[in-house]
């Protein structure tokens, strides 16, 4: 299993819109990709906006490639998401699970 981590900061007042977009559009699309397991949204308020850490879990890097393309470390940030963001990671981080309970 592989966890894909991405961080972005929404513009002030856009946090709820971003969560709704993920829940209603992004995550249902991800659910249709073979090898996708689940997604989590973590957030915290900052002075400049709301920071989000989005974690998606996948069966393998091959499954991630079917979502992200050949360069699996390149962030996939659609135009609708970009409009809500102050700034975001251009690259994602992948972690393999060493232990879970």
């Amino acid at each position: 299993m592989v966890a894909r981590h991405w961080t972005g900061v929404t513009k002030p007042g856009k946090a709820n819109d971003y969560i709704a977009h993920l829940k209603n559009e992004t995550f249902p699309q991800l659910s249709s990709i073979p090898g996708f397991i689940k997604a989590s949204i973590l957030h915290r308020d900052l002075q400049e906006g709301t920071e989000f850490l989005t974690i998606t879990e996948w069966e393998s890097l091959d499954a991630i490639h079917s979502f992200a393309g050949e360069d699996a470390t390149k962030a996939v940030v659609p135009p609708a998401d970009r409009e809500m963001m102050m700034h975001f990671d251009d690259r994602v981080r992948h972690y393999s699970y060493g232990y879970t309970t």
Side-chain angles (χ1 to χ4, degrees):
M1 210 162 58
V2 180
R4 180 179 170 93
H5 290 214
W6 176 85
T7 304
V9 177
T10 57
K11 296 173 183 175
K14 292 294 184 181
N16 289 336
D17 293 340
Y18 182 63
I19 291 171
H21 173 75
L22 290 175
K23 289 169 62 175
N24 297 322
E25 295 182 40
T26 302
F27 293 161
Q29 290 173 352
L30 292 177
S31 294
S32 70
I33 299 171
F36 173 78
I37 298 171
K38 69 177 185 175
S40 301
I41 309 167
L42 301 140
H43 62 88
R44 65 182 180 145
D45 290 330
L46 302 176
Q47 195 167 22
E48 64 183 317
T50 302
E51 180 182 55
F52 285 87
L53 170 59
T54 304
I55 302 170
T56 54
E57 295 182 17
W58 302 81
E59 290 178 3
S60 67
L61 276 175
D62 286 339
I64 293 171
H65 282 291
S66 65
F67 161 65
E70 187 176 323
D71 184 357
T73 64
K74 185 176 179 183
V76 178
V77 187
D81 293 4
R82 290 174 184 268
E83 289 179 20
M84 291 184 258
M85 294 288 158
M86 300 252 326
H87 55 84
F88 53 86
D89 294 341
D90 290 328
R91 296 278 170 193
V92 300
R93 296 158 309 281
H94 294 119
Y95 296 89
S96 297
Y97 283 82
Y99 175 79
T100 59
T101 59

